[in-house]
Amino acid sequence: MTGAGDTPGDGVVGDGYRAEQGRVVAARGELDQDTLPSLEEALTAAADRHAVVVLDASSVTFGDSSFLNLLLRLHRLTELRVAAPGEQLLRLFALTGADTVLSLHPTVQDALGR
């Protein structure tokens, strides 16, 4: 779903940071098979180094099945916590049953246990 002139993955990973409990990785925009590589790289690197990875999904406007697949794969590698998913992501998780598998939290602070 990239627009004309976009480069795949351009700008979907925001600023991440280290937290006491692990690593926070921020994502934004539309996440589909064309834009996922940079997010996958950031999440995989965080999972390699941290027992807990929090995905700040507050700025994600769209996620498709490839995004969901990435989250489910990461869920097996680390303690993945998805923070602040919007209405579209919540609907995707509910329709697929992923809401019973993934650890969903209303805010990053909640995901970090603060």
Side-chain angles (χ1 to χ4, degrees):
M1 295 196 100
T2 57
D6 288 349
T7 57
D10 186 28
V12 299
V13 179
D15 294 332
Y17 56 92
R18 176 95 167 88
E20 281 184 41
Q21 298 83 352
R23 179 86 181 160
V24 176
V25 175
R28 61 179 171 237
E30 296 182 354
L31 300 172
D32 58 30
Q33 67 180 3
D34 294 329
T35 61
L36 276 183
S38 59
L39 179 61
E40 182 172 12
E41 183 179 317
L43 288 171
T44 302
D48 286 345
R49 294 180 187 93
H50 304 282
V52 174
V53 175
V54 174
L55 173 63
D56 178 353
S58 61
S59 296
V60 174
T61 56
F62 174 81
D64 72 356
S65 61
S66 58
F67 171 63
L68 179 59
N69 187 33
L70 171 63
L71 296 184
L72 293 172
R73 285 193 326 260
L74 258 288
H75 169 73
R76 289 192 222 141
L77 298 176
T78 189
E79 184 178 336
L80 177 65
R81 301 174 187 173
V82 181
E87 185 178 318
Q88 189 272 330
L89 291 183
L90 289 173
R91 190 169 46 249
L92 173 68
F93 299 153
L95 286 171
T96 60
D99 59 346
T100 64
V101 176
L102 296 173
S103 178
L104 305 176
H105 302 269
T107 67
V108 172
Q109 292 75 21
D110 288 328
L112 292 171
R114 294 182 183 168

